[in-house]
Amino acid sequence: MVTMSEVAKAAGVSRATASYALRGDPRIAPDTAQKVLNAANELKYTANLSARSLRSGHNGVIGVAIFELDRPYPSEMSAAISREATKHGLQTIVQQTSISKDSEIGILKKVTSQLCDGMIFSPSNVSDQEIRILAGGKPIVLLDALSHSPMFDTINTPCETGAQAAIDHLINVGCRNILVIGAGGPLEQTDGTIAGEHQDDATYDVTQPMLAKTSQDASVSDRRAYGCLQSFAEHGMPITTSTFLPMPRWDEDAARSVGRQIARAMQGEDATSRVKQPGMAPRPVPHDVDGIFCMTDTIALGVMRGLADCGVNVPRDVKVIGFDGISEGEYSIPSLTTISTDLGDLAKQAVSQLLDRINNPDSGREPEIITARYQLIERESTNTPTSK
Amino acid sequence: MVTMSEVAKAAGVSRATASYALRGDPRIAPDTAQKVLNAANELKYTANLSARSLRSGHNGVIGVAIFELDRPYPSEMSAAISREATKHGLQTIVQQTSISKDSEIGILKKVTSQLCDGMIFSPSNVSDQEIRILAGGKPIVLLDALSHSPMFDTINTPCETGAQAAIDHLINVGCRNILVIGAGGPLEQTDGTIAGEHQDDATYDVTQPMLAKTSQDASVSDRRAYGCLQSFAEHGMPITTSTFLPMPRWDEDAARSVGRQIARAMQGEDATSRVKQPGMAPRPVPHDVDGIFCMTDTIALGVMRGLADCGVNVPRDVKVIGFDGISEGEYSIPSLTTISTDLGDLAKQAVSQLLDRINNPDSGREPEIITARYQLIERESTNTPTSK
DNA sequence: TTGAAAGCGCTACCAG
DNA sequence: CTGGTAGCGCTTTCAA
């Protein structure tokens, strides 16, 4: 491995001069600098990042820590951040935190915060407090913070407005019995049961539980549920104990199973259908559902697959809209209408905030909360017969 | 940031002793070690990776460099490697190399080889020679090398046997006019034209061009094309100038367009159909195609989407099989039959090779070439009426 | 405008 | 078994 000393010697200057010249410091005379650059090229010199990092405290690398690498949304997000960082001359390294939930903390502590000048982090199980400690003073930008007033700059996905737009869209295309999948909604209580469930599936005044919840929580699913409520309220549509169907895990397989059960309910095989999921009490599901909003595109694709398993046609029998805008939804059959988070915008904001913190470590400015843009992308899964 | 000196002081020992104790060196007395560990815990000490790396030359982190982060196959592969590395107590960082082709080299040089003890690299544009220089002496394991005799340990996807199994399967389910999408096959010449194309789509003796090609090239598509040829030969099925349909870019959008054009050809709107793709001369496509093998699942999903756009039903009108085994294919409609590369096996082999090189840098053993396992997963896209 | 020298935090060699 | 100590390669004062 060729070191800076060798370059300096080859160029006939001192190590210090070489260091300045290589980073383009103006205090070095142009021709001296050129000599050093030539020598470096000649020897194929590359700066040792560990040494640089150790000495100066930064190395031009930022970290991205996401839950899972092999899911479409996080991986598209990481790719977008990576591309954005490149525009600023930064390198990006990505880490998945999920491998073992217990070790999530250790992973962050050990690598992401140490190898990088700062990190963009999508938290799942760790609190702000813990993150602060893990980061070791390095700048952090959160993606979808878990609390309303996070300790770090935060870029949120457009949960409230996006979800509202999703329900608006379903109503616009004629849906009147809408099911929301992946969120407990205002009726879900902390013990996992559903408020008013005993009320025999009738309309139920949700004002109290709704307010109680939305003032405390800030999880992605709660914020999206809140957006749904806004839309329902504006359209004067009542919600019932079967409007929201929570899912213990947001994965495609579970969604497919839910899709199948909804299909059977729609086909009336069982008059009092309830959806069963592992680790959750059975939940009632409306028999006359004509529109479904899923918390993520992945859930939507799974549900659509489950509906197809049982011969229910989307969009003819029921319309489906997702959230995220993963590219998979463009090529699925039917293609998926979705609230597409603008990942380019999200990445731009996240990198910009992080850079500001890296470059002005002592600015002392308050954490900023930014919401990324979104776009409603209408595709086949909510087509109406006349609209095509 | 708390340093080792502080831990040592708190524990009442020297820095050296602290260093040994923290890494569990047996020469330190158990109770001394415990004292140090307690102090470290107390102070929330974390080792500085840059310093460790600078001094000892390794830090327990391995790098994975893939082309694109936001495509299913590479991201699933990275996730698998990441999980495998964890089992060995290693951390993994992932980088995408594609941001700009020009910068691919710079990225490798600057980060992946410097921040890590070694790297697993899926090459796209750089030669072995270049990689060797970029790696700066760090161990490298290649995924799907570009040459037959690479300079590094290499884990290959099961191209030949997998592709052969794919064609075998299509033939088994009754296909007689098979189209291979994404590879030029033996007839594609270095100038991009097709040998024997003037022969009016008739059967054409491909022995010469086939041998000429397969003895030189080792790209993934060539190796998969070779597997196809084996199967065709064994079944006595002739190949024609329209058996192989190359694609300039393996992306879903281009595949969808190809799918549409094939659909139109099948529907006989144009008696002499040719598939047009940007940057490529129009290629003939068989009108009576009844089975399609795509070089990747992503292409297959795009093609199926294109066929669906034009009302062609899979598997009724034509059967489709892909390659890779991405999870998307399990939930697509129809679900996709595929040659699924065993990513667990691939990851295990890759990490194991890399670890051996890291731990025995001077073993001098020859580069090893390993082929990962695969599995044929039969799903709806090749279902026959009787088989379900 | 350049050079000398002092470390960044850690590991690994020795000596005790 | 433990402690002193010399750097890993670089950046960054401070002098010249």
Side-chain angles (χ1 to χ4, degrees), chain A residues 68-365:
Chain A
E68 295 270 19
L69 216 49
D70 52 358
R71 297 196 182 200
Y73 183 68
S75 68
E76 289 182 18
M77 196 168 67
S78 312
I81 292 172
S82 195
R83 280 186 272 269
E84 176 66 23
T86 307
K87 293 184 194 161
H88 296 269
L90 297 169
Q91 310 270 351
T92 307
I93 61 177
V94 181
Q95 259 212 302
Q96 75 179 358
T97 59
S98 70
I99 304 154
S100 134
K101 288 201 179 175
D102 291 337
S103 71
E104 174 169 353
I105 289 177
I107 287 170
L108 295 179
K109 178 164 61 180
K110 210 175 153 200
V111 176
T112 317
S113 64
Q114 297 229 352
L115 261 28
C116 316
D117 298 345
M119 69 195 244
I120 297 172
F121 179 44
S122 170
S124 52
N125 299 304
V126 287
S127 70
D128 277 21
Q129 272 301 355
E130 291 171 304
I131 295 170
R132 164 145 290 171
I133 293 168
L134 301 175
K138 289 279 175 66
I140 301 272
V141 169
L142 297 180
L143 299 177
D144 276 322
L146 301 173
S147 80
H148 274 301
S149 47
M151 300 167 68
F152 308 99
D153 296 326
T154 299
I155 319 296
N156 279 329
T157 47
C159 287
E160 290 86 351
T161 52
Q164 185 171 0
I167 301 294
D168 284 352
H169 174 69
L170 286 178
I171 293 172
N172 282 345
V173 297
C175 299
R176 290 298 170 265
N177 293 289
I178 294 172
L179 173 63
V180 178
I181 298 183
L187 302 172
E188 190 180 32
Q189 295 170 329
T190 45
D191 62 358
T193 63
I194 301 297
E197 195 172 9
H198 58 284
Q199 308 246 344
D200 205 12
D201 202 27
T203 306
Y204 175 74
D205 179 11
V206 300
T207 318
Q208 288 316 310
M210 176 181 96
L211 292 179
K213 262 196 86 102
T214 51
S215 62
Q216 298 162 9
D217 262 325
S219 76
V220 166
S221 79
D222 286 327
R223 282 158 45 213
R224 293 186 185 177
Y226 183 70
C228 296
L229 291 173
Q230 301 275 3
S231 176
F232 286 133
E234 277 183 19
H235 290 86
M237 291 180 66
I239 73 161
T240 72
T241 54
S242 58
T243 299
F244 288 88
L245 176 61
M247 284 182 62
R249 294 189 54 222
W250 282 4
D251 71 49
E252 212 152 359
D253 217 46
R256 182 178 193 163
S257 159
V258 166
R260 287 200 188 113
Q261 297 183 63
I262 292 169
R264 289 200 206 99
M266 290 173 65
Q267 290 161 342
E269 285 184 11
D270 188 346
T272 56
S273 287
R274 284 179 173 255
V275 169
K276 297 190 186 76
Q277 293 181 79
M280 179 173 280
R283 293 293 320 274
V285 41
H287 292 221
D288 51 357
V289 55
D290 58 3
I292 299 177
F293 169 44
C294 298
M295 285 294 114
T296 72
D297 284 351
T298 297
I299 293 177
L301 292 169
V303 166
M304 291 207 301
R305 180 63 240 199
L307 293 170
D309 287 338
C310 301
V312 169
N313 181 285
V314 176
R316 192 193 60 207
D317 303 331
V318 59
K319 316 226 178 300
V320 175
I321 182 169
F323 199 120
D324 282 346
I326 64 177
S327 66
E328 208 174 318
E330 188 178 346
Y331 301 98
S332 63
I333 300 174
S335 56
L336 179 65
T337 296
T338 188
I339 302 297
S340 173
T341 301
D342 184 339
L343 288 178
D345 183 48
L346 184 147
K348 194 171 161 183
Q349 305 274 9
V351 171
S352 145
Q353 291 289 322
L354 189 61
L355 271 177
D356 180 61
R357 293 290 180 185
I358 291 173
N359 295 330
N360 312 298
D362 311 309
S363 72
R365 82 171 152 78

Side-chain angles (χ1 to χ4, degrees), chain B residues 47-76:
Chain B
N48 181 319
L49 287 187
S50 296
R52 168 177 299 173
S53 190
L54 177 60
R55 178 64 232 229
S56 71
H58 49 86
N59 61 6
V61 179
I62 65 170
V64 174
I66 54 173
F67 189 61
E68 296 270 19
L69 215 49
D70 52 357
R71 297 197 182 200
Y73 183 68
S75 69
E76 288 181 18

Side-chain angles (χ1 to χ4, degrees), chain B residues 203-257:
Chain B
T203 305
Y204 174 74
D205 178 12
V206 301
T207 318
Q208 288 316 309
M210 176 181 96
L211 291 179
K213 261 196 87 103
T214 51
S215 61
Q216 297 162 11
D217 263 324
S219 75
V220 166
S221 80
D222 285 328
R223 281 158 44 212
R224 293 186 185 177
Y226 183 70
C228 295
L229 292 173
Q230 300 275 4
S231 176
F232 285 133
E234 278 183 18
H235 290 85
M237 291 180 66
I239 74 161
T240 72
T241 54
S242 58
T243 299
F244 288 88
L245 176 61
M247 286 182 60
R249 294 189 53 220
W250 282 3
D251 70 48
E252 212 153 359
D253 216 46
R256 182 178 193 164
S257 159

